[in-house]
């Protein structure tokens, strides 16, 4: 497990957290559905490509819905399911649908495979046979856009034409062997704004705010026992800030930090598999258990100072407090239950992930600290370039956005990695989740936490300091990210493109206006603890 150079590690217990930070990436909400307009402008061949939902019944019993994309030609589908008829499904014969079918297609949804002739030819054959719609089964798992060929100067196709995935076609073909299969096709549109983005926005802002103020909740006599109370105690007289796990990031470490994240992102893209995802789940659970334990024990230690007096000895762990052991057992059970149910559709699959993720990030922001704006500038600028490259520029090399492909879990059935906050889109008929990468919270969060410590050390008022304005800047930057998301028709956005200018940019501008930029740039928290001037220069 690699710890990037320039990061000082005081206790090995923080390794799972450091590793998760190194592989955390940033990607804004990924919105499925929507439409795209093809550049071809031929009569009858300029329809927008719409996501289509295919409801299926087998012997009268409703089965799982299928999804597809409509062609740039043919009739439009209604947006509401109750405005579309339920039709029987019939396999074309020949199955390629390139010539008149011996199967009776009248009033049915004809199914044909891709290949051997143009899409428009298949549509004309199905329409001439009396079919009410045509489903084209792709020869691969991706769904391609069905366009007109250069010879189609004028079309008169009056039935809807939809392409579905190869796996969906295989499933339908299997069902149709001796069973009655029926389809209902419609093209529901996603709402312009889903209210769950407000929940995700609130979670992100609250996580940074809580992490920055967390030390105010943990300054008790037992504060030094916040982290890893199950670890063997090296010394009975240890205490204070020097014994807390602090990871000081320097310039070199910041650069290697982002390079490590990029390297791991490429590895995930090329070697993503079920076992790889489970490895990440285990690491996430280890970090999540540690983070959740910290978040629970901190207020308990503050409110109940006598709780730590009741201890017992355990093999391997040595002397531990009873309350810490109970909390640790609860955290482990919580993480295991989530891991087992994480692929389900229940609320716990995303609620559990968000609880573990937020706890982990709050703890990470206590362990990893930026010493000054110089290091923050290097880290955030590198992350800024990293985010833009892997979302917008990587398709030029890999033919698709690496960041979005990994976030969606493409290639492993949509099983996404756990380093994301997820909230289900409640008002979207397509379902799915709004997602925000840990990096979109951790990278700006390091700067916001530094601003809080700087304001406190220099005794700055809330309005005259930097912390308040950075919290506002972060919230506004995340708001701009969602605005860009919807203006770009749901295509994933690099959130740091908006968050870095709204946080680091605000810090630099305020520092210049106040004449404190030099003090922020060369700030030394250790020397400032003993003496600092009002401008923050040691």
């Amino acid at each position: 497990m690699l710890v990037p150079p320039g990061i000082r590690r005081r206790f090995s217990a923080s390794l799972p957290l450091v590793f998760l930070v190194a592989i955390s990436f940033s990607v804004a909400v990924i919105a499925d559905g929507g439409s795209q307009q093809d550049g071809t402008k031929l009569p009858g061949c300029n329809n927008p490509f719409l996501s289509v939902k295919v409801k299926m019944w087998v012997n009268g019993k409703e089965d799982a819905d299928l999804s597809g994309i409509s062609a740039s030609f043919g009739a439009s589908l209604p947006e509401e399911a109750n405005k579309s008829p339920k039709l029987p499904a019939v396999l074309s014969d020949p199955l390629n649908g390139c010539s008149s079918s011996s199967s009776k297609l009248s009033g049915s949804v004809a199914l044909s495979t891709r290949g051997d002739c143009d899409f428009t030819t298949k549509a004309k054959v199905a329409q001439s046979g009396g079919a009410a719609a045509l489903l084209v089964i792709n020869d691969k798992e991706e769904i391609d856009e069905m366009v007109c060929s250069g010879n189609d100067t004028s079309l008169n196709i009056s039935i809807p034409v939809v392409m579905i995935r190869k796996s969906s076609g295989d499933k339908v073909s299997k069902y149709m062997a001796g069973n009655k299969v029926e389809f209902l096709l419609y093209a529901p549109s996603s709402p312009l704004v889903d209210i769950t983005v407000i929940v995700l926005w609130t979670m992100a802002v609250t996580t940074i705010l809580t992490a920055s103020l967390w030390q105010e909740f943990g300054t008790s006599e037992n504060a030094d026992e916040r982290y890893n109370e199950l670890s063997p105690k090296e010394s009975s007289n240890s205490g204070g800030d020097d014994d807390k796990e602090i990871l000081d990031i320097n310039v070199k470490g910041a650069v290697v930090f982002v390079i490590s994240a990029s390297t791991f992102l490429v590895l995930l893209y090329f070697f993503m598999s079920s076992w790889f995802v489970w490895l990440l789940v285990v690491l996430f659970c280890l970090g999540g258990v540690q983070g959740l334990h910290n978040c629970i024990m901190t207020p308990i230690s503050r409110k109940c100072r006598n709780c730590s007096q009741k201890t017992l000895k355990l093999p391997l762990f040595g002397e531990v407090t009873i309350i810490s052991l109970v909390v640790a057992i609860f955290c482990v059970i919580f993480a295991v239950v989530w891991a087992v149910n994480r692929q389900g559709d229940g609320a716990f699959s995303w609620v559990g992930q968000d609880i573990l993720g937020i706890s982990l990030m709050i703890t990470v922001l206590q362990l990893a600290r930026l010493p000054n704006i110089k290091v923050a500038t290097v880290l955030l600028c590198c992350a800024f370039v990293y985010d833009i490259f892997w979302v917008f520029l990587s398709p030029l090399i890999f033919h698709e956005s690496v960041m979005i492909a990994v976030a969606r879990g493409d290639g492993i059935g949509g099983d996404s990695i756990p380093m994301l906050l997820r909230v289900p889109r409640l008002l979207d008929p397509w379902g799915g989740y709004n997602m925000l990468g840990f990096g979109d919270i951790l990278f700006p969060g390091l700067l916001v936490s530094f601003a809080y410590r700087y304001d406190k050390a220099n005794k700055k008022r809330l309005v005259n300091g930097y912390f308040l304005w950075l919290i506002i800047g972060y919230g506004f930057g995340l708001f701009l990210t969602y605005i860009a998301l919807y203006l770009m028709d749901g295509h994933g956005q690099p959130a740091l493109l908006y968050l870095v200018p709204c946080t680091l940019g605000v810090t630099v501008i305020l520092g210049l206006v106040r004449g404190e930029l030099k003090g922020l740039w060369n700030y030394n928290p250790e020397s400032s603890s003993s003496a600092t001037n009002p401008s923050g220069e040691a």
Side-chain angles (χ1 to χ4, degrees):
M1 202 172 297
L2 177 65
V3 179
I7 296 181
R8 177 159 51 92
R9 180 175 64 85
R10 294 191 178 176
F11 293 110
S12 60
S14 61
L15 276 174
L17 301 182
V18 177
F19 183 79
L20 288 169
V21 172
I23 64 176
S24 293
F25 59 90
S26 313
V27 63
V29 182
I30 299 173
D32 298 321
S35 64
Q36 303 176 23
Q37 185 67 45
D38 182 65
T40 307
K41 295 295 183 181
L42 297 175
C45 195
N46 57 2
N47 295 343
F49 298 106
L50 298 176
S51 297
V52 177
K53 184 165 286 191
V54 182
K55 298 182 73 67
M56 181 170 61
W57 287 263
V58 180
N59 294 328
K61 184 178 179 180
E62 187 171 356
D63 201 88
D65 294 344
L66 309 177
S67 61
I69 294 181
S70 63
S72 64
F73 52 88
S76 300
L77 289 167
E79 290 190 7
E80 300 175 7
N82 56 13
K83 294 183 179 180
S84 184
K86 183 192 296 185
L87 302 171
V90 176
L91 290 172
S92 299
D93 187 12
L95 193 57
N96 61 18
C98 294
S99 58
S100 297
S101 175
S102 60
S103 302
K104 185 178 180 180
L105 302 180
S106 179
S108 69
V109 176
L111 286 96
S112 67
T113 56
R114 179 178 183 173
D116 300 326
C117 61
D118 296 334
F119 294 122
T120 52
T121 301
K122 298 177 187 290
K124 291 176 182 178
V125 170
Q127 181 173 295
S128 64
L134 171 65
L135 286 185
V136 178
I137 302 172
N138 202 9
D139 54 7
K140 55 185 179 181
E141 196 56 23
E142 293 79 12
I143 301 179
D144 296 326
E145 298 172 348
M146 292 185 290
V147 298
C148 302
S149 64
N151 299 325
D152 296 319
T153 56
S154 181
L155 291 174
N156 187 25
I157 298 176
S158 58
I159 63 173
V161 182
V162 177
M163 176 177 283
I164 60 176
R165 305 177 189 274
K166 181 181 184 302
S167 59
S168 299
D170 294 341
K171 180 179 180 179
V172 172
S173 299
K174 181 179 179 181
Y175 280 152
M176 293 186 67
N179 297 305
K180 178 183 179 182
V181 178
E182 296 173 294
F183 287 138
L184 186 151
L185 283 65
Y186 67 111
S189 58
S190 299
L192 181 61
V193 179
D194 192 295
I195 59 173
T196 55
V197 301
I198 301 176
V199 177
L200 195 59
W201 182 93
T202 303
M203 288 167 59
V205 174
T206 303
T207 298
I208 291 182
L209 183 64
T210 304
S212 301
L213 300 176
W214 192 257
Q215 58 181 307
E216 302 298 330
F217 302 102
T219 53
S220 69
E221 294 179 356
N222 300 322
D224 57 305
E225 299 180 16
R226 298 204 306 267
Y227 305 105
N228 276 324
E229 294 197 11
L230 290 179
S231 300
K233 298 183 178 180
E234 299 180 4
S235 174
S236 60
N237 58 354
S238 61
D241 290 341
D242 291 338
D243 287 332
K244 298 175 186 177
E245 299 170 343
I246 303 298
L247 307 176
D248 297 327
I249 305 174
N250 62 18
V251 172
K252 183 179 179 181
V255 174
V256 176
F257 198 77
V258 177
I259 293 176
S260 300
S262 296
T263 302
F264 203 88
L265 187 64
V266 173
L267 292 176
L268 282 173
Y269 177 73
F270 283 110
F271 303 106
M272 179 73 80
S273 60
S274 298
W275 71 266
F276 207 162
V277 172
W278 270 107
L279 175 62
L280 295 179
V281 168
V282 171
L283 291 172
F284 175 75
C285 287
L286 291 175
V289 166
Q290 184 178 353
L292 187 59
H293 183 266
N294 166 58
C295 291
I296 295 176
M297 283 303 302
T298 296
I300 290 178
S301 298
R302 181 178 177 86
K303 297 295 183 181
C304 181
R305 299 188 177 185
N306 295 325
C307 294
S308 61
Q309 295 179 0
K310 299 179 181 179
T311 63
L312 54 82
K313 288 186 177 181
L314 294 177
L316 300 179
F317 296 105
E319 186 178 356
V320 297
T321 62
I322 296 178
I323 185 65
S324 178
L325 178 62
V326 172
V327 171
I329 293 174
F330 165 78
C331 294
V332 170
I333 293 175
F334 185 92
V336 171
V337 172
W338 169 80
V340 172
N341 296 277
R342 68 185 186 88
Q343 292 180 306
D345 296 327
F348 189 75
S349 66
W350 64 273
V351 172
Q353 179 171 323
D354 291 347
I355 291 175
L356 291 172
I358 290 174
S359 301
L360 185 151
M361 286 187 287
I362 289 175
T363 303
V364 166
L365 291 174
Q366 301 304 300
L367 305 182
R369 293 185 179 182
L370 296 174
N372 48 49
I373 295 301
K374 178 172 66 175
V375 177
T377 300
V378 174
L379 177 64
L380 290 179
C381 286
C382 288
F384 178 81
V385 175
Y386 156 87
D387 217 14
I388 294 175
F389 177 82
W390 290 114
V391 175
F392 285 156
L393 301 181
S394 60
L396 300 177
I397 303 175
F398 301 93
H399 307 295
E400 65 177 331
S401 174
V402 173
M403 185 85 74
I404 294 177
V406 172
R408 281 177 169 165
D410 294 352
I412 53 171
D415 188 7
S416 61
I417 66 176
M419 275 69 77
L420 296 162
L421 293 185
R422 298 192 303 155
V423 178
R425 294 197 288 268
L426 300 177
L427 301 182
D428 194 334
W430 290 99
Y433 294 86
N434 289 322
M435 297 183 291
L436 189 68
F438 285 1
D440 298 326
I441 298 175
L442 290 174
F443 287 125
L446 288 169
L447 177 59
V448 176
S449 296
F450 163 78
Y452 177 78
R453 295 193 304 272
Y454 178 86
D455 288 352
K456 184 177 180 180
N458 291 275
K459 300 180 180 179
K460 287 182 173 292
R461 295 181 179 179
L462 192 62
V463 177
N464 296 328
Y466 294 87
F467 173 69
L468 173 63
W469 301 110
L470 288 188
I471 284 291
I472 295 174
Y474 177 81
F476 182 71
L478 198 55
F479 172 75
L480 290 180
T481 304
Y482 287 110
I483 293 296
L485 176 75
Y486 293 116
L487 291 179
M488 294 292 289
D489 197 25
H491 294 285
Q493 293 292 300
L496 293 179
L497 172 64
Y498 310 94
L499 294 174
V500 171
C502 290
T503 52
L504 182 62
V506 169
T507 306
V508 172
I509 292 174
L510 284 177
L512 283 172
V513 171
R514 297 171 178 176
E516 300 176 346
L517 185 58
K518 183 179 179 181
L520 287 166
W521 188 265
N522 298 311
Y523 183 68
N524 188 332
E526 294 183 1
S527 62
S528 66
S529 62
S530 57
T532 56
N533 62 26
S535 64
E537 297 182 27

